[in-house]
DNA sequence: TCTGGGGTCCTAGGACCC
DNA sequence: TCTGGGGTCCTAGGACCC
């Protein structure tokens, strides 16, 4: 069968739902006075000590040149705070040119997000959240292409009535097209790209509008004379694969409306991590160790919350100016042990003993969540533990004598 | 004001096994 | 003693996303 043999109803109806300026919108929910005003939500923002970076700027704030990821200091230069404004004071900012700054409150945003998820999940389809403010929805089972637009309008209306938020939604037969479509008519947008329209829809767009094409790949595309998705779609897929590996061909196909990635319910996480910037870069070993220990504790907390086991412990070290190094160690069996996690992380840190470090992170990966792995943990701990005592574990026992212990471990490693 | 924190996926080389 | 290939696991780094 060829593509041209397919009819409209052979293509899935996929929605990409993107909540507009989500953090700022949440702040307006609990503080309606902020509606229509410029709102900036800052990470690490503190009224007394304005620092950190912009997480979300409302459209009104964007009018003043405030953008995501911008340092708060720069944002304040473009848009002063209302608390500092005074109409009667010549030296103070004009209240008409000032905005409202709020710190990030993830707990609250999560609550709001869950409410919206409830609405999206109530539809007959497959729901896949992406981060806190986006989701894909496969509603092929419930809707045909002819009804996709009115279906989406109703969904948007329900989100607005029930949760008080506006969403921008893209509807398309592929994830990649739906993703871009939701972005085209923000805020409160709705764009349907039907099967057969995808290639024309992509053609005029810049390559970096394609999901997965960042600054590095975009500039490599430019070197090849590829500026738009249309250029990409006209390029030689073999040459693209040669240069970019499998991604090259995938990008090419995406611009043609071919994207086999399905919308699927969320999977278990592949890794859990915590990282922390140190105020100032430091060489002090004790300081670095304290950071790593604390992060290891917090990773352990998350592991326990999620009832996870892991095989790999990793350490991330960022050296100035922005030099990322990672080290990791994999253990033979899935386990969780706070002390072992801490020790492993500290051991990995040793290599960076005298290095200047600005940020550290601790990570566990090779995760498993199934109950069945638990016994393996016990066996392994007993087998390798220096102080391990002989005990019945999972119907098997481990003699506490050196050579036999080693033998058991070897056998365990094999099977 | 220098780039926060939590993730995913891919690549490439080396070790090791058959 | 030399030769070759395939497969898997582990590690480090990089690009990218929200």
């Amino acid at each position: 069968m060829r593509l041209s043999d397919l009819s409209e109803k052979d293509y899935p109806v996929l929605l990409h739902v993107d909540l507009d300026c989500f953090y700022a919108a949440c702040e307006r929910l609990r503080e309606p006075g902020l509606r229509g005003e410029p709102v900036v939500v800052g990470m690490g923002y503190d009224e007394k000590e304005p620092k950190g970076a912009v997480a979300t700027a409302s459209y009104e704030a964007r009018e003043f040149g405030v953008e995501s990821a911008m340092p708060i200091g720069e944002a304040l230069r473009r848009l002063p705070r209302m608390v500092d404004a005074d109409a009667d004071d010549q030296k103070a900012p004009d209240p008409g040119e000032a905005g409202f700054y709020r710190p990030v409150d993830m707990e609250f945003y999560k609550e709001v997000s869950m409410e919206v998820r409830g609405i999206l999940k109530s539809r007959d389809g497959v729901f896949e959240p992406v981060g806190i403010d986006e989701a894909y929805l496969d509603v092929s089972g419930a809707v045909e292409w002819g009804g996709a637009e009115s279906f989406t309008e109703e969904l948007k209306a329900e989100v607005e009535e029930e949760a008080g938020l506006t969403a921008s939604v893209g509807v398309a037969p592929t994830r990649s097209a739906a993703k871009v479509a939701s972005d085209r008519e923000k805020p409160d947008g709705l764009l349907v790209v039907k099967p057969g329209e995808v290639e024309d829809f992509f053609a005029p767009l810049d390559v970096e509008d394609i999901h997965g094409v960042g600054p590095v790949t975009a500039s490599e595309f430019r070197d090849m004379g590829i500026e738009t998705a249309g250029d990409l779609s006209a390029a030689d897929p073999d040459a693209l694969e040669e240069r970019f590996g499998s991604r090259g061909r995938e990008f090419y196909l995406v611009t043609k409306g071919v994207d086999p990635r399905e919308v699927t319910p969320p999977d278990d996480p592949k890794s859990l991590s915590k990282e922390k910037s140190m105020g100032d870069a430091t060489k002090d070993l004790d300081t670095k160790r304290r950071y790593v220990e604390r992060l290891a504790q917090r990773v352990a907390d998350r592991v326990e919350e999620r009832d996870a086991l892991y095989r790999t412990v990793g350490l991330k070290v960022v050296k100035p100016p922005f030099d990322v190094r990672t080290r990791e160690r994999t253990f033979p069996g899935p386990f969780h042990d706070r002390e072992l996690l801490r020790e492993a992380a500290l051991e990995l840190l040793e290599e960076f003993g005298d290095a200047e470090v600005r940020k550290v992170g601790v990570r566990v990966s090779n995760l498993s969540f199934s109950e069945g792995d638990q016994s393996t943990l016990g066996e392994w701990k007993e087998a390798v533990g220096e102080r391990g005592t002989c005990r019945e574990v999972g119907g098997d026992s481990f003699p506490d004598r050196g050579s036999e212990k080693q033998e058991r471990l070897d056998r365990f490693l094999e099977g």
Side-chain angles (χ1 to χ4, degrees), chain A residues 214-375:
Chain A
V216 175
T217 310
S219 112
E220 278 186 66
F221 276 144
R222 282 216 186 77
D223 291 345
M224 299 171 78
I226 296 169
E227 308 256 345
T228 65
D231 296 338
L232 192 48
S233 151
D236 172 13
D238 293 327
L240 292 169
E241 185 158 14
E242 177 99 8
R243 176 110 174 223
F244 300 97
S246 62
R247 289 164 62 239
R249 188 176 297 273
E250 280 164 20
F251 288 139
Y252 164 85
L253 289 169
V254 153
T255 64
K256 294 210 173 296
V258 178
D259 178 355
R261 290 169 302 165
E262 293 178 357
V263 174
T264 55
D267 237 359
D268 285 328
K270 307 273 190 291
S271 66
L272 298 171
S273 65
K274 283 279 177 193
E275 51 188 75
K276 190 77 188 157
S277 292
M278 325 229 246
D280 294 302
T282 181
K283 288 188 173 180
D284 183 62
L285 185 57
D286 280 344
T287 308
K288 289 184 278 191
R289 292 177 64 96
R290 273 202 307 279
Y291 267 84
V292 167
E293 285 179 341
R294 162 160 289 163
L295 291 168
Q297 290 295 330
R298 295 176 59 184
V299 170
D301 292 342
R302 303 244 338 260
V303 164
E304 284 163 20
E305 273 166 35
R306 320 233 7 183
D307 221 2
L309 301 174
Y310 44 89
R311 291 211 303 127
T312 303
V313 176
L315 179 80
K316 172 172 162 178
V317 163
V318 183
K319 303 200 273 185
F322 206 82
D323 198 1
V324 180
R325 300 300 168 88
T326 60
R327 294 290 179 271
E328 65 179 36
R329 180 169 166 205
T330 298
F331 296 85
F335 72 104
H336 168 56
D337 184 312
R338 298 186 83 95
E339 184 55 24
L340 209 49
L341 170 54
R342 176 180 157 276
E343 278 173 19
L346 286 173
E347 212 174 298
L348 294 169
L349 178 67
E350 275 174 25
E351 184 183 337
F352 304 96
D354 48 6
E356 193 181 14
V357 171
R358 67 195 305 242
K359 182 180 191 178
V360 288
V362 173
R363 188 177 95 112
V364 293
S365 54
N366 259 315
L367 301 180
S368 47
F369 294 87
S370 63
E371 295 293 311
D373 294 330
Q374 291 281 358
S375 67

